[in-house]
Amino acid sequence: MDKLRILIPREQIAAKVAEIGARITADFLGESVVLIGVLKGATIFLADLARQIQLDATFDFIAVSSYGNSQQQSGEVKLVKDVDSSMEGRNVVLVEDILDTGVTLAYIRNLLQARQPRSMKIAALLDKVSRRTQPIQADYVGFQIPDEFVVGYGLDFAERYRNLPDICVLESYSDGA
Ligand code: IMP
Ligand code: MG
């Protein structure tokens, strides 16, 4: 059995998501935004955040894969699924579960920036500041966390645990299924 410890309980997540939603609402008052979720980890954050944003909003999704295993970022990113809509002239809010080395978001930001959006902001629920190798930071950050592997609220370990309502540290895991 894997061992999990709650790091951020659901009530704290909900309060923070509401706060970020209010900030985005205030920052884009009278304008439209397109929320771009990075699959699959950001889906739960996006679903909750979107309902805290009182603006004309649309959703889009992008998927990338990184070479290397789930706990290690190799530095190479591959586009798996592009966004469906045009970014030109739009207010883009990139929604991501966690900013770790920054390789993933730096790649996506550069890809979308080239399509001339009107503005681009990054909302990251979690930020592992000490792990950063790329010069990138989020405009909206939920929680800065230490360098521990976390799961839940969209975040996975080998595709599992995304459905946990709290964000938990995976303290140890067993190899057997
Ligand atoms: P980065 O490119 O190193 O910033 O990595 C970002 C991606 O790595 C995230 O979108 C997550 O999918 C994954 N990741 C980084 N840290 C964790 C973690 O603690 N738990 C689960 N996934 C993580
Ligand atoms: Mg992810």
Side-chain angles (χ1 to χ4, degrees):
M1 278 289 278
D2 299 347
K3 201 170 158 214
L4 300 168
R5 165 173 55 86
I6 293 181
L7 181 69
I8 310 171
R10 61 198 78 179
E11 298 80 10
Q12 272 184 44
I13 300 171
K16 188 63 78 174
V17 170
E19 198 183 302
I20 295 173
R23 284 179 56 202
I24 292 174
T25 302
D27 289 352
F28 290 97
L29 223 54
E31 297 178 53
S32 308
V33 293
V34 51
L35 306 175
I36 300 190
V38 183
L39 295 172
K40 308 169 191 158
T43 50
I44 297 191
F45 178 37
L46 185 141
D48 284 346
L49 179 63
R51 285 175 288 179
Q52 300 294 333
I53 294 176
Q54 270 92 59
L55 296 170
D56 176 45
T58 56
F59 294 0
D60 209 327
F61 294 93
I62 193 166
V64 296
S65 70
S66 47
Y67 300 94
N69 66 39
S70 58
Q71 298 209 25
Q72 198 181 303
Q73 173 59 271
S74 66
E76 271 185 85
V77 181
K78 183 176 75 175
L79 183 65
V80 172
K81 183 219 165 293
D82 205 340
V83 291
D84 298 325
S85 51
S86 166
M87 298 292 108
E88 198 179 333
R90 304 180 71 188
N91 294 311
V92 172
V93 180
L94 273 175
V95 180
E96 176 60 312
D97 51 3
I98 186 166
L99 193 45
D100 187 30
T101 63
V103 170
T104 305
L105 271 183
Y107 171 85
I108 294 171
R109 180 190 58 184
N110 294 344
L111 182 81
L112 299 183
Q113 195 70 64
R115 299 176 187 173
Q116 287 149 0
R118 174 188 167 110
S119 66
M120 178 140 52
K121 300 281 188 196
I122 295 175
L125 181 66
L126 305 175
D127 187 1
K128 278 188 196 171
V129 190
S130 66
R131 294 256 307 158
R132 199 81 84 257
T133 62
Q134 304 299 307
I136 185 164
Q137 57 187 39
D139 302 280
Y140 309 100
V141 177
F143 305 91
Q144 295 195 342
I145 63 165
D147 183 13
E148 293 185 290
F149 196 81
V150 291
V151 296
Y153 200 76
L155 292 130
D156 74 306
F157 172 64
E159 295 298 328
R160 293 169 61 216
Y161 300 122
R162 294 192 197 275
N163 59 321
L164 296 180
D166 310 296
I167 292 168
C168 302
V169 173
L170 185 63
E171 296 198 307
S172 61
Y173 56 93
S174 55
D175 287 336

